[in-house]
Amino acid sequence: MTEVSTAERELGTAFLPRFDAKGLLIAIAVDAESKDILMVAYMDAEALEKTRETGLAHFHSRSRGKLWLKGETSGHFLRVQEIRVDCDQDALQLIVKPEGPACHTGAKSCFYRQLDGDTLRKIIP
């Protein structure tokens, strides 16, 4: 495989995702309407391909070591409207329309608590 230059990756127009040593990159799901961060997960090449192919957010489950379709058991899918790529192509921002809560706890977002001193305080349902 040909080596990709930093300039090509950072300033070019080709999509050249930079996966880490474990074959993963960070994916941040953001609500298309509210702009709230809903969740952070990882994608491998297969999850990225499936997301692009289906329009539904797929991730790599590090705990299970396999492909994971967000909503496959809960029915709370994330419909991807747009994929944004950061400057060095090692993180993605998924602009999504959530079909229900994004967090496995039932909260709208995984970021439902705020650090207040040494205590976590719930800030959103």
Side-chain angles (χ1 to χ4, degrees):
M1 180 171 185
T2 326
E3 195 65 28
V4 176
S5 73
T6 300
E8 190 176 5
R9 188 179 304 278
E10 293 180 358
L11 304 172
T13 58
F15 182 45
L16 304 163
R18 189 165 62 97
F19 297 96
D20 68 13
K22 294 180 181 176
L24 304 173
L25 51 78
I26 294 172
I28 304 161
V30 177
D31 188 303
E33 191 174 306
S34 70
K35 309 301 183 220
D36 290 337
I37 296 173
L38 300 177
M39 60 179 286
V40 176
Y42 291 88
M43 289 181 142
D44 59 10
E46 181 183 20
L48 178 56
E49 180 183 334
K50 285 288 194 185
T51 297
R52 295 178 74 193
E53 177 184 303
T54 66
L56 296 173
H58 288 72
F59 302 102
H60 173 79
S61 171
R62 294 179 299 160
S63 61
R64 295 181 303 222
K66 66 177 194 170
L67 182 69
W68 161 49
L69 166 61
K70 171 65 177 135
E72 66 187 331
T73 56
S74 68
H76 302 150
F77 297 99
L78 297 176
R79 294 206 177 269
V80 179
Q81 306 300 298
E82 179 183 346
I83 298 176
R84 296 182 183 179
V85 183
D86 82 332
C87 57
D88 57 355
Q89 300 198 43
D90 65 352
L92 302 176
Q93 182 184 48
L94 308 178
I95 308 300
V96 302
K97 288 194 177 185
E99 295 181 356
C103 186
H104 74 281
T105 66
K108 175 185 170 194
S109 165
C110 293
F111 296 90
Y112 59 91
R113 298 178 291 180
Q114 178 182 55
L115 184 58
D116 186 4
D118 289 333
T119 304
L120 296 177
R121 184 169 51 88
K122 191 172 183 177
I123 55 173
I124 59 173

